[in-house]
Amino acid sequence: MRDLQKNNVPATNQVKKLVFPHENSGIRILFAGNSITKHSKKPQIGWNNDCGMAASAPEKDYVHLLMQKIRTYDENAAYCIAQVGGYEANLYTASPEQNYREAAVFHADLLILFFGANVPKSYDTDPTPPKAFGQAYEEMRNFLNPDNHAAVFHSAGFYIRPNLDAEKLAVAEKYGDTFMSLGDIVTREETHGQFNHPNDLGMQEIADTFWRHIEPVIQTLVLKRKAVQGNF
């Protein structure tokens, strides 16, 4: 049996740029993630799609699946992806201000943080790391939500990294955000595809898990927007 916990995708050059806004007039969703959220084509490693790895097509990754659900409430919902794979890999030196200002000014109504896989494995056993993952994670959370406008949702990692998940949970609890567990999605071989990333089934289950948490907030956001616009 293959090692489902081995992240064998290089953290470098996952995308051609780091922020991908998709503008529209409705509620605004910001996804901060790594290759599972978006990875550009990279034929030299055998990846030929431009979407969340390892969905078989863009419409099958969790971002597009979630946006499809969100647009049943607001057909004009906008979204933006902040690809933070390099930020994770350079945990000790990276700063959100260096590359993610466009994502911060997107002014999201709802923010989903789903990253951690590219944090060096040595971090898990280093008793005195130069910088805590939780600190870098909190800095990204706050940079992407500068005026505390967005409802923020944090996901456990797709790979089992208890230290990272504990630090994410602590950040979520500090701000009264929602923390989402992925349950057995991370351990079942049937949810893993190319490069040990989530296949179409894994992506669907991730999207469904996130949706159970965010749907009530989406409903509220849509009602508020309609009220402000005088349509309710």
Side-chain angles (χ1 to χ4, degrees):
M1 180 179 291
R2 60 175 170 161
D3 180 3
L4 300 179
Q5 299 307 311
K6 184 178 181 181
N7 177 20
N8 51 17
V9 175
T12 57
N13 301 317
Q14 292 186 346
V15 286
K16 308 302 183 187
K17 61 176 185 174
L18 296 177
V19 179
F20 302 84
H22 298 265
E23 287 292 351
N24 213 324
S25 60
I27 60 174
R28 305 176 70 77
I29 317 302
L30 175 57
F31 300 88
N34 48 39
S35 55
I36 295 175
T37 300
K38 185 175 179 66
H39 197 302
S40 299
K41 293 181 180 180
K42 200 170 184 179
Q44 60 267 41
I45 67 169
W47 174 245
N48 296 301
N49 290 334
D50 185 4
C51 62
M53 189 180 273
S56 62
E59 62 269 20
K60 297 289 189 180
D61 73 18
Y62 85 90
V63 170
H64 289 82
L65 291 170
L66 269 181
M67 289 309 302
Q68 183 179 34
K69 293 175 183 291
I70 290 167
R71 285 177 174 149
T72 63
Y73 288 100
D74 182 354
E75 64 182 9
N76 296 314
Y79 74 99
C80 180
I81 293 172
Q83 216 282 6
V84 299
Y87 180 78
E88 301 170 287
N90 295 284
L91 167 68
Y92 304 133
T93 58
S95 168
E97 291 86 351
Q98 292 171 330
N99 297 301
Y100 297 100
R101 189 160 301 279
E102 187 179 5
V105 300
F106 180 76
H107 195 61
D109 297 308
L110 189 146
L111 169 61
I112 296 175
L113 303 169
F114 182 26
F115 63 91
N118 293 297
V119 172
K121 291 288 288 193
S122 59
Y123 178 83
D124 295 342
T125 55
D126 187 346
T128 57
K131 184 176 185 178
F133 167 73
Q135 179 185 345
Y137 184 83
E138 182 177 3
E139 289 172 359
M140 181 62 79
R141 180 238 184 247
N142 291 339
F143 184 77
L144 296 179
N145 187 28
D147 57 2
N148 206 31
H149 169 76
V152 184
F153 294 79
H154 307 257
S155 176
F158 187 68
Y159 302 103
I160 299 173
R161 306 277 299 269
N163 292 350
L164 303 188
D165 284 349
E167 292 182 54
K168 292 181 189 181
L169 177 60
V171 172
E173 291 178 338
K174 177 178 179 179
Y175 293 96
D177 301 336
T178 299
F179 183 83
M180 305 178 292
S181 172
L182 294 179
D184 67 356
I185 300 172
V186 305
T187 58
R188 290 170 21 236
E189 186 162 10
E190 64 180 344
T191 57
H192 289 65
Q194 195 175 10
F195 312 109
N196 279 337
H197 280 47
N199 57 17
D200 289 354
L201 176 61
M203 287 291 190
Q204 184 67 65
E205 292 192 12
I206 290 169
D208 290 344
T209 297
F210 289 0
W211 185 239
R212 287 195 291 272
H213 291 277
I214 74 171
E215 184 181 15
V217 176
I218 294 294
Q219 291 175 310
T220 299
L221 289 171
V222 170
L223 288 173
K224 286 182 177 179
R225 180 171 287 268
K226 287 181 177 180
V228 168
Q229 294 173 341
N231 296 323
F232 180 73

